Amino acid sequence: MASSPDMISLADRARPLKKSHIRTISKAVKAVDGINLGQGICDLPTPAPIKARTHEAIDANRSIYSHHAGIEALREAILEKATTFNELPASTIDEVVVSAGSTGAFVIAAMTLLQEGDEVILFEPYYGYHRNILKLTGATVRYVPLGGPDDAFDPEAMEAEITDRTRAVIVNTPANPSGKVWRRDELEALLTVMQKHDLIAITDEIYEYMTYDDAPHVSLGALPGAYERTITLSGFSKTYNVTGWRLGYAVGPAPLLEKMGLMNDLLYICAPRPLQHGMLAVFEDLDEEYYTSLRSDYHERRSLMCETLEAIGFDVPWPEGAYYAFADFSPIQDRPGFSSDEEAADTLIQESGVGCVTGRSFYSDRDRGSTKLRFCFGKERPVLKQACDQLREAFG
Ligand SMILES: Cc1ncc(COP(=O)(O)O)c(C=O)c1O
């Protein structure tokens, strides 16, 4: 019997797993009692109606397993939202699976579609969980560069990475970390490539309500001819400040979603039951005003964050969506402590008490992120203001 961790033989899929740099940063920030703009968690309060409905569900002992794809009322409500807000041509709740966060939904999509020998296209900078979950399936990830908000999708760059083994493409709009919001014409061009090579898309739209400067959120699955080859993912974490509740969902063609539902059953049995009931408040108790004010609050936070980073010398492509500034410190790289992203992140913690994420975390070739840092502005305003003041004081 193995007695020390070194003696335990691990599965190949577990061996490369490492503590993410985000967690290392969080520890370093805590050590100086600083402010963490690293992790993509919003510490804003959960809307009261959601909490009240959840308390009711717990008090009413709605505690047993639900249907593996989620309670019917929530799937009905998600279906309605998917057909109106996202304009997806979905028509029955068989096209909806509620899972353990949008991450759970991504896992079941990837596990249902991909296996060793398959290839999958991922745009970079990417969200690390996408890459690492794709790798768990045994599929090979092919990277296609797609920069920030000002960079347009280049079908030729994607075609260059497609082989006869390519099965799927991952889309993230609005994107983490770049803040890019895919335009309709870009999605149309993507669909043309997908149709030509018979690809399926998994599209992560978790930041769909956080768009700025009138950048409209467009769902790939809404384009004519796209729905039958698109799995649309979203969730409640970001829009309703419930990242720890683990509730998200997938919408897509019924035959595919049926298998994904069974995969969901196998991996999670169901999403947390009382929280599913509580989340009905989103559809029944929150009105349009909630989203309008969410957008304008984040709009202000974006200005505060981006203006601060510009003031201290960073080059900042302002995000069109999501709640991250993915900024480049090349203009101040000759200052001591800014020779690499790792050193710069450390300098920021030591000198201003502000934590962020290193650029290398978002690229397959870490050198591409070596002058970049990601800052999350999904914070209570006084906390964000304090962080910005500290940055200006230390580096302004
Ligand atoms: C692009 C993206 N997708 C998904 C998630 C996680 O979403 P969930 O909490 O629904 O699993 C995050 C969180 O940072 C994210 O940035």
Side-chain angles (χ1 to χ4, degrees):
M1 179 98 171
S3 57
S4 89
D6 293 347
M7 293 168 67
I8 298 171
S9 139
L10 298 172
D12 286 349
R13 78 176 74 84
R15 221 166 287 126
L17 298 181
K18 286 195 299 256
K19 216 190 273 182
S20 93
H21 190 61
I22 299 183
R23 290 191 195 277
T24 314
I25 291 275
S26 303
K27 217 170 137 194
V29 174
K30 212 166 168 197
V32 299
D33 199 18
I35 301 174
N36 193 355
L37 303 185
Q39 225 170 3
I41 46 172
C42 32
D43 55 8
L44 308 175
T46 304
I50 299 177
K51 291 196 277 197
R53 292 282 287 260
T54 306
H55 285 144
E56 278 167 30
I58 291 170
D59 289 342
N61 295 311
R62 299 196 149 182
S63 305
I64 58 168
Y65 300 135
S66 71
H67 184 286
H68 59 262
I71 61 169
E72 222 169 87
L74 186 59
R75 288 160 75 204
E76 290 283 5
I78 292 168
L79 176 65
E80 164 77 14
K81 174 258 174 192
T83 54
T84 51
F85 177 79
N86 301 101
E87 299 180 6
L88 302 183
S91 52
T92 74
I93 62 167
D94 297 338
E95 294 159 78
V96 179
V97 174
V98 180
S99 189
S102 70
T103 305
F106 189 86
V107 170
I108 58 170
M111 294 295 273
T112 302
L113 286 173
L114 298 167
Q115 62 192 0
E116 203 159 337
D118 290 339
E119 295 187 3
V120 53
I121 301 284
L122 183 63
F123 297 102
E124 71 173 357
Y126 51 69
Y127 169 56
Y129 278 71
H130 287 163
R131 184 184 80 146
N132 295 341
I133 292 167
L134 293 171
K135 287 193 158 188
L136 273 188
T137 68
T140 300
V141 182
R142 297 266 199 160
Y143 303 93
V144 174
L146 182 60
D150 303 332
D151 246 354
F153 164 63
D154 174 2
E156 281 175 21
M158 177 167 165
E159 294 254 13
E161 292 301 325
I162 293 178
T163 70
D164 54 7
R165 295 176 158 230
T166 311
R167 287 270 293 132
V169 54
I170 311 302
V171 180
N172 179 207
T173 183
N176 171 11
S178 73
K180 179 180 174 59
V181 174
W182 283 64
R183 295 188 317 260
R184 185 175 295 274
D185 62 315
E186 293 176 297
L187 293 170
E188 281 165 355
L190 173 68
L191 178 60
T192 304
V193 179
M194 286 167 57
Q195 286 168 328
K196 180 170 162 200
H197 297 278
D198 196 20
L199 308 184
I200 288 181
I202 304 175
T203 132
D204 176 343
E205 304 182 11
I206 187 90
Y207 298 104
E208 60 197 346
Y209 290 104
M210 292 168 196
T211 52
Y212 314 112
D213 303 331
D214 301 323
H217 173 71
V218 183
S219 292
L220 172 66
L223 304 187
Y227 185 69
E228 54 266 34
R229 51 177 73 247
T230 304
I231 299 168
T232 305
L233 309 182
S234 192
F236 302 99
S237 288
K238 311 286 178 174
T239 311
Y240 311 100
N241 313 323
V242 287
T243 50
W245 289 33
R246 314 310 306 128
L247 273 185
Y249 52 87
V251 182
L256 202 47
L257 269 279
E258 188 193 339
K259 277 285 184 222
M260 281 174 54
L262 295 173
M263 191 64 80
N264 199 55
D265 188 7
L266 186 60
L267 294 177
Y268 315 112
I269 300 189
C270 66
R273 174 74 182 262
L275 306 188
Q276 293 189 52
H277 288 278
M279 214 43 85
L280 287 171
V282 161
F283 306 101
E284 294 170 17
D285 302 334
L286 300 183
D287 55 17
E288 202 41 48
E289 164 58 23
Y290 179 81
Y291 301 94
T292 313
S293 79
L294 175 125
R295 230 174 256 121
S296 78
D297 281 354
Y298 274 112
H299 193 270
E300 275 180 40
R301 290 187 180 95
R302 179 185 72 150
S303 301
L304 180 57
M305 186 81 253
C306 294
E307 280 164 8
T308 301
L309 292 171
E310 282 176 348
I312 65 170
F314 281 58
D315 179 14
V316 191
W318 284 42
E320 288 180 336
Y323 53 41
Y324 306 97
F326 194 44
D328 193 319
F329 58 85
S330 310
I332 56 165
Q333 219 177 356
D334 50 356
R335 282 176 76 144
F338 284 87
S339 69
S340 72
D341 54 335
E342 274 193 331
E343 197 187 46
D346 196 48
T347 302
L348 257 59
I349 296 175
Q350 300 313 326
E351 294 188 19
S352 68
V354 173
C356 58
V357 183
T358 48
R360 69 183 60 196
S361 317
F362 307 99
Y363 292 91
S364 53
D365 173 359
R366 12 178 72 207
D367 284 353
R368 279 191 224 130
S370 66
T371 59
K372 292 178 182 162
L373 296 172
R374 190 197 75 177
F375 298 81
C376 171
F377 53 85
K379 294 280 152 199
E380 287 272 28
R381 201 141 356 142
V383 177
L384 183 64
K385 172 85 172 56
Q386 182 63 36
C388 289
D389 288 349
Q390 290 175 202
L391 283 170
R392 280 178 191 262
E393 236 165 73
F395 303 106

